[in-house]
Amino acid sequence: MTSKSIILAGGAGYIGSHIAALMLARDIDIIIIDNFANSSPVVFDRLERITGRRPKLIEADLASAQGAATVLDELRPHDIWGAVHLAGLKAVGESVEQPSRYYDVNINTTLNLINILDQLNATKLVFSSSASVYGAENKSPVSEEGVLSAANPYGSTKILNERLLADHARARSKWQVINLRYFNPVGAHPSGLIGEDPTGIPNNLFPYIAQVAVGRRPHVSVFGGDYDTPDGTGIRDYIHVDDLALGHLAAVDYLTNQNRGDVMPINLGSGHGHSVLEVISAFSRAAGKHIPIELVDRRPGDVAMSFANPSRAEKLLGWAATRSLDEMCRDHWRWQSGNRDGYRAAESNSE
Ligand code: UDP
């Protein structure tokens, strides 16, 4: 691993905070850049409780020229490895309602980060991409060769960012980029101190189930029971957020040991899927609670089945997901039951 400082752009968010916990525990020097648009400063207290170390923070909006200038000023004294880039907007439904905001924030953030790294002579970047870059026509398991075609503006910004980073890397011979395409990240840190804290009504299955289990919502709507799958409900490749975080560390290690310019997409998934009903029953077991469901129509744009071919990650990064669905549910539940309203309670009485 590197002795230089690693930028975690968007490092206070759900996935970034788990990467931060791992890196701090391994004595890696990190600098989190976040504007708390969709995350909480309480994460810093929690990271300190988990690891005994508090990461450096630059509070700034990387999408704005002014924010980027502040970040560059603050980073100048440091010896920077490069960045793990997780900064951006991520709600699929909201991206359909506000496409120009999504393009503006998600593309400008990357452009500004590229410029900052160029100014600092840093050449390594791990990008938080998504399986939503794969078009619905791909058959699972989906490899990195799958056809790219996004079903919504959020996915389009991921495809555009991957291309932008690839073009930049090709124009600068030393640049090295790994685009990590996540399948369905779920679960939480085993301490129960950090986890997913969505604003508003959750779009995704796990946080929705968790909020039903904790009594914040009456039932889970199961979107479609007539898919061509064994129990008729949709199948996805769920991956524990700590496995995902380990995938980022493996990507950082790979780039650290590599000096040749390179650009590569890599899937992070488990390679197998679980149906909506399987997930609900596993969560119900973990929480020791009945979870009421209501079967409703399919959600527009959803496919029956999506899971990864994760062999490239295994071959190149020596990484594979190891945590089971039961572990994902147990850890997600520990976080949600200990933090009914996410970070909100801790925000009002400082820890
Ligand atoms: N899903 C559901 N009810 C919900 C949210 C999701 O039945 O409230 C289903 C959805 O149709 C899909 C699976 O759960 O089959 C995972 O959905 P999620 O939005 O978490 O991930 P994505 O579809 O983006 O992979």
Side-chain angles (χ1 to χ4, degrees):
M1 204 41 86
T2 176
S3 57
K4 297 184 177 186
S5 301
I6 299 179
I7 298 168
L8 296 188
Y14 172 41
I15 294 164
S17 58
H18 289 79
I19 298 171
L22 267 182
M23 290 188 165
L24 290 169
R26 293 185 187 194
D27 262 335
I28 298 168
D29 200 37
I30 60 174
I31 300 174
I32 291 180
I33 303 170
D34 213 297
N35 64 349
F36 301 115
N38 189 29
S39 59
S40 169
V42 172
V43 160
F44 286 76
D45 301 330
R46 300 291 174 89
L47 286 171
E48 199 172 355
R49 273 169 70 184
I50 295 170
T51 67
R53 296 179 61 208
R54 195 176 182 90
K56 180 173 165 51
L57 166 68
I58 301 175
E59 186 173 350
D61 176 12
L62 267 175
S64 76
Q66 200 191 359
T70 306
V71 169
L72 181 58
D73 271 356
E74 294 211 24
L75 288 177
R76 278 208 194 277
H78 298 269
D79 189 9
I80 299 292
W81 173 90
V84 178
H85 172 19
L86 312 120
L89 302 174
K90 61 166 189 177
V92 171
E94 191 181 64
S95 80
V96 176
E97 308 286 314
Q98 306 171 19
S100 54
R101 179 168 162 245
Y102 268 66
Y103 284 101
D104 177 13
V105 172
N106 288 0
I107 305 302
N108 279 314
T109 296
T110 305
L111 285 169
N112 287 334
L113 186 57
I114 287 173
N115 181 48
I116 289 167
L117 294 179
D118 272 344
Q119 302 278 329
L120 298 169
N121 292 316
T123 55
K124 297 178 197 285
L125 191 140
V126 175
F127 176 58
S128 163
S129 189
S130 160
S132 65
V133 300
Y134 294 121
E137 61 269 47
N138 295 295
K139 293 274 165 284
S140 290
V142 191
S143 82
E144 291 81 358
E145 314 303 327
V147 177
L148 302 189
S149 107
N152 50 64
Y154 162 76
S156 297
T157 66
K158 291 293 180 192
I159 294 179
L160 285 173
N161 270 329
E162 283 200 17
R163 291 202 178 129
L164 168 56
L165 289 164
D167 287 342
H168 189 75
R170 286 189 198 106
R172 301 264 189 288
S173 60
K174 284 192 185 149
W175 261 68
Q176 298 163 264
V177 174
I178 291 183
N179 291 313
L180 291 177
R181 294 178 179 161
Y182 313 154
F183 278 69
N184 293 60
V186 300
H189 193 269
S191 64
L193 289 172
I194 53 174
E196 186 171 16
D197 183 18
T199 21
I201 301 169
N203 297 296
N204 301 110
L205 182 62
F206 255 78
Y208 206 102
I209 297 174
Q211 291 194 6
V212 170
V214 86
R216 282 172 64 180
R217 304 190 187 275
H219 62 263
V220 179
S221 300
V222 175
F223 297 150
D226 56 352
Y227 284 108
D228 186 13
T229 58
D231 67 17
T233 64
I235 290 180
R236 293 290 182 278
D237 186 339
Y238 298 95
I239 168 169
H240 194 295
V241 64
D242 266 347
D243 276 332
L244 195 77
L246 284 166
H248 288 75
L249 259 76
V252 166
D253 253 345
Y254 179 89
L255 292 186
T256 302
N257 297 325
Q258 170 106 341
N259 288 316
R260 238 170 355 100
D262 204 1
V263 183
M264 213 171 9
I266 300 184
N267 286 341
L268 291 185
S270 72
H272 40 84
H274 294 287
S275 75
V276 175
L277 293 180
E278 274 180 288
V279 171
I280 292 171
S281 82
F283 205 103
S284 164
R285 272 198 311 276
K289 284 179 190 277
H290 171 65
I291 302 194
I293 62 169
E294 195 175 293
L295 192 58
V296 300
D297 286 346
R298 294 179 179 191
R299 182 170 63 181
D302 272 1
V303 293
M305 188 144 64
S306 165
F307 56 93
N309 173 344
S311 57
R312 184 179 287 178
E314 195 154 359
K315 197 165 132 215
L316 289 178
L317 307 182
W319 173 92
T322 60
R323 289 158 177 79
S324 66
L325 179 63
D326 286 338
E327 244 172 307
M328 301 177 209
C329 293
R330 218 165 39 230
D331 288 339
H332 207 111
W333 175 241
R334 189 180 297 110
W335 151 251
Q336 188 72 73
S337 54
N339 302 270
R340 186 180 182 278
D341 298 309
Y343 292 113
R344 228 145 306 143
E347 275 164 1
S348 40
N349 42 63
S350 75
E351 297 192 340

